Amino acid sequence: MTTATGRETRTRDVIVVGGGHNGLACAAYLAKAGLDVLVLERRHVLGGAAVTEEVFPGFKFSVCSYVVSLLRSWIVRDLDLARHGLRILPLDSTFTPFPDGRSLFRGVDPAETRREIAKFSPRDAEVYPEFGRLMVEQARFVKPIIDRRVPDPGSLAPRELADALRFAGHFRSLGPEGLARHLKMLTMSAVDFLSEWFEAEQLIGPMSISGIIGTFLGIRSPGTAYVLLHHYMGEIDGSFRAWGLAEGGTGRVSLALASAARAYGAEIRTEASTAEVLVEAERAVGVVLEDGEEIRARRVVSAVDPRRTFLGLVGERHLEPEFARAIRRYKLRGSSGKVNLALDGLPDFVSRPGDGPHLRGDITIAPSIDSLERAYDEAKYGAFSSEPFMDVVIPSLTDPTVAPPGKHVMSIFVQYAPYHLKGGAETWPEHREAFGDAVLRTLGRYAPNLEDRVLHRQVLTPWDLEQEIGLTEGNIFHGELSLEQLAFLRPVPGYARYRTPIRDLWMCASGTHPGGGIMAAPGALAAREILAENAS
Amino acid sequence: MSRADVVVLGGGLNGLVAAARLAKDGRRVTLVEARDALGGLAAAEEFHPGFRSPGVLHDTEAVSPDLAEALGLLRRGLRFRPARQAAFHGDGAGRVIRLPSEDDASSAPTAPDDRAAWSERAAFLGRVRPFLASILDRAPPPLAPESLAGWMGILGLGVRARRLGEADLLELARVLPMCVADWQNEAFADPLLKAAFAATALEASFLGPWSGGTTALLLLREARAGRGVVGGAPAVVRALAEEVERAGVEVVRGRRVTRVVVERGAARAVELDGADPIDAADVLSTLDPRTTLLDLIDPPEVPPSLADAARVYRMRGTTAKLDLALDGPPPFPGPPGGGPIALYRTGAELDALERAFDAAKYGRCSDPPLLEVHVPTHESPELAPPGRHVASILVHFAPFALDGGWSDGARERLETAVLAELDRHAPGVREQVVGARLRTPADLAEEFGLSGGHLHHGEHAPDQLLSLRPSFRCGEYRTPIAGLWLGGGGTHPGGGLSGRPGLLAARALAGRSGP
């Protein structure tokens, strides 16, 4: 109910702060269960970092997040997202051009992939399928972890011990060999792990990059091997495409979730920027918007990152010093940027001229292990990589709806672009174009015609991601995905189950288990916990 | 052909400990050492007329009193220091700090914020140390227990972990996988203090302070830090050698093992260079895992999965050793609190340590190198002529796989770089040098039979510790080859002068069929 002045008067069951895909997923589940839900989004568009915007007339960019990564199939089914317009298109191959004019193409045809790898190492070509099989096997054991809340190792409650034992039993079923491999993957670097299998760096380099995306780590950094598993997890979801491009751009995932949420009765307001979470008598009772409007609710769910939630919206005065300290040291160092191009034709790669299937998948710029490591070295000391790693996609080849006929959009994920530049994060605007130039120059070395094809370019630095999208320090995952910030430690030990120290304040986004990417799992799992509490 | 119950390969600290333990338990033991001197990396050697170095590895803090007691070393006159040796860290621009130590309140940092952070951290260390030490003092819990003892081991670990309490357990779980740089940045402000802690985590590793898991290495090192032995490594070797002899071990020196004879899946004998082979019921190798499994056994006799495990086990040596004969004590700037400096490390800030590691990644030596300088002659003046001194310097990072190889030119460049860096920290030291001996990782590999020149018989990294060291296939000292046991630094709890792997391996061997 609103008054004549447009002010809310009724007390909602739940307010979700932030209309990113996790906030929307959470809202949809809560509304589906019959709760009165209001979603508040600061921007004029929904989706947060999962957003499609027509930045230049006729060109629709998946501005930030550009590939659906492990979107949970059960969520798609639960919320009937297909009916709400979600369609996932294939992104099944990886093409890696090398500076020496050679290239590696890994696609869906095993025989072709084998021939391609054999160009660099016949031995690696033999091992590759075996490696894939083993990884799928390992991934099968990890999958249940991302589909449920994490066990609490500190607790002695019978239910928790049972949970922990179930987990232990789960891992034990791997056998000693699988368990040893798992422990190694948890802690090794991607390069060391892959080097146990492969010899050609033209294979190891491109394969290892999935371990560093969105992290402030290099491919030789311990702890990067684990994320390799994520790429094999998609294969387990069977017929459902867990990896791919959303038709109409990534924003379509958010819009489908929003449409589902509305269909279940949730209300969603855009251009409603939350200034403060109202805390009274140590419980969350609502929010105050930037314009002063106050909205009351029985519960508040934050879909923004943990730092912004607690130090921004809640305020330190409501926090125990120990908790505030844990939030302050929660690491959010953004390390990547994004360049979006509007093109009037396709790039022509020296190593594989013309159009072809290689342009329809991932195009990975990962020339060698050392060059990837050097790119990281530069970032460690506060500079963006002069020859960055890039993951390039041309969605318009798979999805013609995103560009005018004959024209194309190109999405370039770039790493490393450290938020903390040596001169300070606020100097990013001065470096933005130089960063964009470095990206185009590097890519131009492999596709010399590219620069002439560019009609428009949009360069997003971590600073821009923070200022425009609201990602603290430009971290695309709401916090680094390093071991000490995962599972029962995410975002901080003791609060890994979407609850917070403030009663009736919950978290539901990528800063919680199982973390970032377009999975929608944090939102859905948070809703499950909230509903369980609501029922009891 | 002679015969023994057990042939122990390698007369370093672990080999001596294992031989003494087994002989005391009534086994007929033969110990084989390739070099003329016993002690391996702990052996004192004259490197310049009248000057002796205390061993390639000079840190005896990992030798524990209970191990010394159990082997009767205290009877042999081995004495522990009254307190931990003071460690200093300098920035090369005149500033030297003392590393804070839990048992000496006067060593706390001077800045109030850092002092508060240190007392909090010292308290945390104090609480988790018994738990961590209990892991290092025992055989690693098996990955897939097959026996009641295995299950008890895991259960015991769980119970001890629980005993830490929820807060410390979660905090330990949080910090173990962290990089040591992040962990220091969370607590301290002084860049030199941060570097001083981080440097202790990097010894002989192929990691920098920004590498994940280095906090675990720091904690494990702290967990087993004792007070050290008076007289250093040579004193430990001397006492052990006496005990080994007294226990009736037959010691064969100056003979290299050429082959471990394996027939039908079981170790049968050991063949030596220039001596008769020795028949054995059991062979316990304290040589590194790769040498043992890939060089000494006929390849068809090694199960392929085991051979693969040995091949991928990482042993990228990164440490060189420079011994210096000096005509006076190295003139480090006056330490806080006065007195001589016997242990000094370099590296002004975290980024300097990281840049040093960057070089190793690309096959280059760090410029400048990171130094750990030990001056044993303050405590043991007998190592040098009167009034003179020895500096025993571990140099990081000097990669075994140096781009271009370890040519004479490369050696010379490294020695020059080390002396230049040392002179920056102790101005004038260059003029004091009367003799020097440099050993690159390639030299160490050659001289001590170390694969990859790795001083710890394999990198200490989270995936190469506990029962994953050297591989889950032989993580509890037992190999898939019957009668072949591993017990060197390449097994739990790892390299360095602790003697613990040898002791635990001997126990595992003895436990199999009774004493």
Side-chain angles (χ1 to χ4, degrees):
Chain A
M1 186 152 318
T2 52
T3 63
T5 56
R7 303 262 139 173
E8 294 266 346
T9 53
R10 77 168 188 251
T11 298
R12 303 279 187 159
D13 287 331
V14 181
I15 289 172
V16 176
V17 179
H21 82 287
N22 276 310
L24 293 167
C26 187
Y29 273 94
L30 295 176
K32 189 181 180 192
L35 299 187
D36 174 20
V37 181
L38 172 67
V39 180
L40 300 171
E41 166 56 38
R42 182 178 55 94
R43 299 187 69 213
H44 62 287
V45 279
L46 286 171
V51 65
T52 305
E53 289 186 73
E54 192 167 322
V55 180
F56 306 106
F59 294 92
K60 291 179 189 154
F61 289 160
S62 294
V63 176
C64 307
S65 191
Y66 58 100
V67 50
V68 169
S69 53
L70 289 176
L71 180 60
R72 309 318 298 142
S73 56
W74 51 272
I75 297 175
V76 175
R77 277 195 307 274
D78 281 356
L79 302 177
D80 207 357
L81 295 184
R83 198 168 59 82
H84 292 285
L86 178 67
R87 226 181 121 213
I88 307 290
L89 305 170
L91 185 73
D92 289 333
S93 67
T94 306
F95 169 67
T96 313
F98 297 107
D100 63 2
R102 297 195 287 174
S103 67
L104 174 66
F105 179 75
R106 293 177 288 147
V108 285
D109 174 9
E112 184 184 22
T113 300
R114 187 195 183 93
R115 278 196 306 276
E116 283 282 315
I117 297 173
K119 292 192 299 194
F120 301 98
S121 161
R123 208 198 74 178
D124 287 357
E126 295 296 316
V127 177
Y128 190 76
E130 164 76 5
F131 179 80
R133 264 194 304 279
L134 273 171
M135 288 300 105
V136 170
E137 208 175 286
Q138 297 287 126
R140 207 181 292 284
F141 282 87
V142 180
K143 193 171 115 36
I145 298 173
I146 64 172
D147 285 338
R148 54 188 294 186
R149 65 175 196 174
V150 286
D152 176 357
S155 168
L156 280 168
R159 183 161 166 236
E160 296 296 341
L161 283 177
D163 243 23
L165 278 179
R166 203 167 37 240
F167 254 79
H170 178 67
F171 275 98
R172 205 176 128 63
S173 63
L174 275 170
E177 183 159 4
L179 193 54
R181 191 180 304 122
H182 221 84
L183 288 172
K184 292 179 81 161
M185 286 201 83
L186 260 177
T187 54
M188 285 176 83
S189 78
V191 168
D192 284 343
F193 184 77
L194 291 166
S195 298
E196 291 193 353
W197 288 81
F198 304 110
E199 60 186 9
E201 72 165 327
Q202 290 90 344
L203 187 59
I204 296 172
M207 284 179 84
S208 63
I209 51 87
S210 51
I212 54 166
I213 287 186
T215 72
F216 202 84
L217 296 167
I219 55 174
R220 282 207 178 97
S221 307
T224 50
Y226 207 65
V227 190
L228 295 175
L229 275 187
H230 277 225
H231 276 252
Y232 293 91
M233 247 180 264
E235 295 185 25
I236 309 165
D237 284 325
S239 56
F240 175 71
R241 195 175 285 284
W243 289 89
L245 298 172
E247 188 184 53
T250 297
R252 197 63 75 78
V253 178
S254 308
L255 295 183
L257 285 162
S259 166
R262 284 196 182 105
Y264 293 124
E267 186 187 337
I268 300 172
R269 283 171 62 181
T270 53
E271 295 181 86
S273 179
T274 305
E276 189 190 337
V277 170
L278 273 176
V279 179
E280 288 172 7
E282 295 176 12
R283 57 199 298 167
V285 295
V287 300
V288 182
L289 302 187
E290 294 286 358
D291 63 8
E293 181 181 354
E294 191 177 304
I295 313 173
R296 297 251 154 188
R298 288 178 192 89
R299 289 190 185 79
V300 177
V301 183
S302 171
V304 303
D305 68 66
R307 176 110 40 101
R308 189 165 289 241
T309 300
F310 293 104
L311 303 186
L313 299 178
V314 172
E316 266 196 74
R317 66 188 183 284
H318 295 299
L319 305 172
E320 294 285 337
E322 198 51 31
F323 182 81
R325 185 162 84 140
I327 291 294
R328 266 198 308 273
R329 68 189 180 192
Y330 178 69
K331 296 191 290 288
L332 288 135
R333 297 165 287 205
S335 61
S336 55
K338 186 82 193 294
V339 174
N340 296 311
L341 301 178
L343 304 176
D344 69 357
L346 289 171
D348 198 17
F349 282 88
V350 176
S351 53
R352 196 179 270 233
D355 190 2
H358 64 292
L359 298 181
R360 281 161 179 76
D362 260 318
I363 302 166
T364 299
I365 303 300
S368 71
I369 292 172
D370 277 358
S371 68
L372 290 169
E373 187 67 21
R374 284 206 171 87
Y376 170 56
D377 288 346
E378 288 174 277
K380 281 192 301 196
Y381 308 115
F384 63 78
S385 310
S386 48
E387 290 188 43
F389 149 70
M390 284 177 262
D391 189 47
V392 183
V393 178
I394 311 171
S396 46
L397 276 172
T398 315
D399 174 8
T401 67
V402 293
K407 310 245 193 282
H408 290 281
V409 293
M410 181 185 263
S411 157
I412 311 172
F413 174 85
V414 192
Q415 201 163 320
Y416 299 83
Y419 175 80
H420 295 284
L421 281 182
K422 203 163 181 84
E426 65 284 359
T427 63
W428 258 115
E430 302 157 33
H431 297 285
R432 187 186 294 123
E433 294 314 312
F435 172 62
D437 291 345
V439 168
L440 279 183
R441 193 172 53 239
T442 305
L443 201 50
R445 203 163 300 150
Y446 303 90
N449 73 331
L450 181 69
E451 290 199 58
D452 295 337
R453 293 270 183 251
V454 177
L455 298 171
H456 310 282
R457 85 174 186 190
Q458 178 193 34
V459 181
L460 290 167
T461 70
W463 175 259
D464 302 321
L465 294 174
E466 181 179 65
Q467 300 296 312
E468 286 174 31
I469 310 295
L471 299 167
T472 300
E473 296 192 20
N475 190 296
I476 62 173
F477 293 147
H478 288 205
E480 290 172 40
L481 295 178
S482 49
L483 268 182
E484 68 269 24
Q485 299 195 153
L486 286 180
F488 60 89
L489 302 169
R490 189 170 188 87
V492 295
Y495 296 97
R497 286 179 174 175
Y498 317 101
R499 274 193 180 77
T500 73
I502 292 167
R503 263 191 86 187
D504 297 328
L505 176 65
W506 297 74
M507 298 172 275
C508 77
S510 299
T512 60
H513 175 77
I518 304 185
M519 280 194 270
L525 293 176
R528 198 182 279 175
E529 293 295 304
I530 294 167
L531 290 170
E533 195 206 55
N534 195 46
S536 64
Chain B
M1 180 177 289
S2 59
R3 220 202 117 65
D5 292 337
V6 185
V7 176
V8 175
L9 309 185
L13 222 50
N14 286 311
L16 291 168
V17 166
R21 174 79 273 154
L22 290 165
K24 282 167 189 285
D25 286 344
R27 306 288 177 120
R28 197 140 54 96
V29 180
T30 301
L31 174 78
V32 184
E33 166 57 41
R35 302 171 77 233
D36 291 329
L38 289 176
L41 295 170
E45 286 171 297
E46 187 170 79
F47 65 94
H48 184 77
F51 291 84
R52 297 182 341 123
S53 96
V56 175
L57 293 177
H58 49 221
D59 176 3
T60 56
E61 286 197 344
V63 178
S64 76
D66 68 298
L67 181 137
E69 170 78 49
L71 293 172
L73 303 185
L74 302 180
R75 277 202 309 273
R76 300 276 151 208
L78 194 72
R79 282 185 301 122
F80 285 85
R81 295 188 183 117
R84 223 175 145 179
Q85 198 168 39
F88 297 89
H89 198 96
D91 67 356
R95 184 154 173 252
V96 177
I97 58 166
R98 180 170 169 191
L99 249 83
S101 142
E102 286 159 76
D103 52 33
D104 183 355
S106 73
S107 67
T110 45
D113 283 355
D114 282 352
R115 196 180 317 134
W118 164 248
S119 58
E120 193 179 321
R121 184 157 285 182
F124 174 70
L125 285 173
R127 292 194 304 270
V128 301
R129 171 172 289 128
F131 170 66
L132 294 173
S134 79
I135 294 175
L136 299 176
D137 288 349
R138 289 161 216 241
L143 273 188
E146 282 161 3
S147 65
L148 184 63
W151 281 109
M152 294 306 284
I154 290 185
L155 193 65
L157 181 71
V159 168
R160 293 197 304 280
R162 289 279 183 181
R163 229 177 263 151
L164 283 172
E166 178 164 3
D168 281 341
L169 184 61
L170 285 176
E171 179 66 357
L172 196 58
R174 186 184 76 88
V175 303
L176 283 175
M178 281 176 71
C179 70
V180 72
D182 277 338
W183 199 46
Q184 302 315 315
N185 281 331
E186 279 184 1
F188 302 111
D190 181 356
L192 193 58
L193 184 63
K194 292 189 228 178
F197 281 118
T200 63
L202 303 180
E203 190 194 76
S205 65
F206 197 86
L207 299 164
W210 288 107
S211 304
T214 40
T215 299
L217 301 187
L218 176 64
L219 284 172
L220 291 177
R221 193 187 157 105
E222 275 304 307
R224 66 176 181 193
R227 286 168 289 145
V229 169
V230 176
V236 185
V237 173
R238 207 178 308 121
L240 265 174
E242 285 175 23
E243 267 312 297
V244 159
E245 193 180 331
R246 199 189 67 95
V249 173
E250 185 179 341
V251 178
V252 180
R253 301 187 207 200
R255 293 280 177 260
R256 195 174 281 273
V257 178
T258 51
R259 181 170 171 239
V260 173
V261 182
V262 175
E263 285 167 4
R264 292 186 300 281
R268 306 277 174 201
V270 170
E271 291 180 0
L272 306 179
D273 186 15
D276 284 345
I278 311 165
D279 262 0
D282 287 290
V283 175
L284 194 164
S285 172
T286 65
L287 311 180
D288 72 68
R290 201 180 294 164
T291 301
T292 305
L293 297 170
L294 299 182
D295 298 346
L296 296 182
I297 304 172
D298 296 341
E301 298 292 347
V302 182
S305 54
L306 182 62
D308 278 346
R311 259 190 291 276
V312 300
Y313 179 67
R314 297 190 308 284
M315 302 188 69
R316 296 166 290 193
T318 52
T319 310
K321 178 74 196 287
L322 180 68
D323 291 314
L324 292 180
L326 303 172
D327 67 6
F332 292 115
I341 287 183
L343 181 57
Y344 181 99
R345 297 192 191 90
T346 71
E349 52 175 12
L350 292 169
D351 277 358
L353 304 183
E354 183 68 21
R355 282 182 204 277
F357 170 54
D358 285 346
K361 291 189 297 194
Y362 309 114
R364 299 193 310 266
C365 286
S366 311
D367 180 25
L370 303 176
L371 309 180
E372 176 176 301
V373 187
H374 182 49
V375 186
T377 33
H378 287 306
E379 182 185 78
S380 309
E382 70 279 4
L383 292 172
R388 309 228 166 162
H389 284 270
V390 167
S392 162
I393 306 173
L394 289 171
V395 181
H396 305 109
F397 289 83
F400 174 79
L402 185 69
D403 203 11
W406 280 107
S407 61
D408 287 349
R411 296 172 51 92
E412 209 167 294
R413 278 193 295 280
L414 179 62
E415 186 167 333
T416 308
V418 174
L419 284 175
E421 180 64 2
L422 185 63
D423 201 68
R424 209 161 66 79
H425 288 264
V429 74
R430 248 187 305 213
E431 283 70 52
Q432 296 181 320
V433 177
V434 294
R437 177 185 56 177
L438 174 73
R439 284 187 285 196
T440 68
D443 300 330
L444 294 166
E446 175 66 30
E447 206 175 315
F448 294 93
L450 300 170
S451 298
H454 203 280
L455 291 177
H456 286 167
H457 289 203
E459 291 161 40
H460 290 167
D463 63 294
Q464 297 197 151
L465 291 174
L466 295 162
S467 42
L468 296 177
R469 187 170 186 88
S471 154
F472 79 95
R473 294 180 197 281
C474 33
E476 294 145 64
Y477 311 100
R478 179 197 297 260
T479 71
I481 297 168
L484 177 67
W485 305 77
L486 296 178
T491 61
H492 175 79
L497 305 182
S498 75
R500 191 64 67 177
L503 184 70
L504 293 173
R507 264 196 213 148
L509 193 161
R512 188 204 43 178
S513 53

